[in-house]
Amino acid sequence: MFGSSSQKGDELTKMSSLIFDDNTMKARLPSKVYARFKEALVTGAPTSEDDQKVIAETIFKWARELGAVAFAHWFFPMRGGSGAYGSMCGACKMDNMIDLDWSSAEATKPFHATLPYERLFV
């Protein structure tokens, strides 16, 4: 998924080696945005729309620097009754970083690179 000359081995060796984790977040986000986001995780308060935009733009820039064209995340829905052991049923959501520009007057809508914050904070 990511091409990097600094990584050795086959694709399975490289898998999940470039993750936007807490260390990356702390290094890349403005310190005040990082602090507010971490506080929201503890208190359960919503993340402001302005902070959501900053976080999404930061993730997008980081990912594009690494050559990403798509993203995915693994999660466990907050509903029971899935039939799996302990009502745990994981899911993987995949999306890409290219959208159609619906505001264009062209009949064939042009593409533009994007990572809408609305997709990250649902």
Side-chain angles (χ1 to χ4, degrees):
M1 183 151 115
F2 295 107
S4 174
S5 60
S6 65
Q7 293 183 318
K8 304 288 185 215
D10 63 19
E11 294 304 316
L12 290 176
T13 305
K14 298 176 199 174
M15 190 173 185
S16 298
S17 62
L18 301 169
I19 301 170
F20 195 83
D21 59 8
D22 192 62
N23 289 332
T24 306
M25 189 181 306
K26 189 172 187 177
R28 295 264 183 164
L29 286 175
S31 60
K32 289 182 179 181
V33 173
Y34 174 80
R36 285 191 299 265
F37 179 71
K38 295 298 281 188
E39 181 68 21
L41 292 177
V42 172
T43 65
T47 304
S48 74
E49 189 170 322
D50 288 340
D51 284 355
Q52 290 177 21
K53 289 177 182 178
V54 170
I55 294 167
E57 289 168 3
T58 302
I59 293 171
F60 181 75
K61 182 178 178 190
W62 169 82
R64 292 297 297 142
E65 287 171 2
L66 295 168
V69 295
F71 65 97
H73 73 272
W74 180 261
F75 64 98
F76 293 90
M78 296 295 290
R79 59 182 183 263
S82 66
Y85 177 73
S87 296
M88 295 300 287
C89 180
C92 182
K93 178 184 176 189
M94 299 188 73
D95 208 338
N96 63 50
M97 296 181 176
I98 300 173
D99 275 344
L100 290 175
D101 183 359
W102 293 104
S103 64
S104 171
E106 299 294 320
T108 304
K109 303 299 183 194
F111 290 103
H112 63 98
T114 183
L115 181 63
Y117 69 93
E118 298 93 345
R119 292 187 193 167
L120 297 176
F121 298 91
V122 184

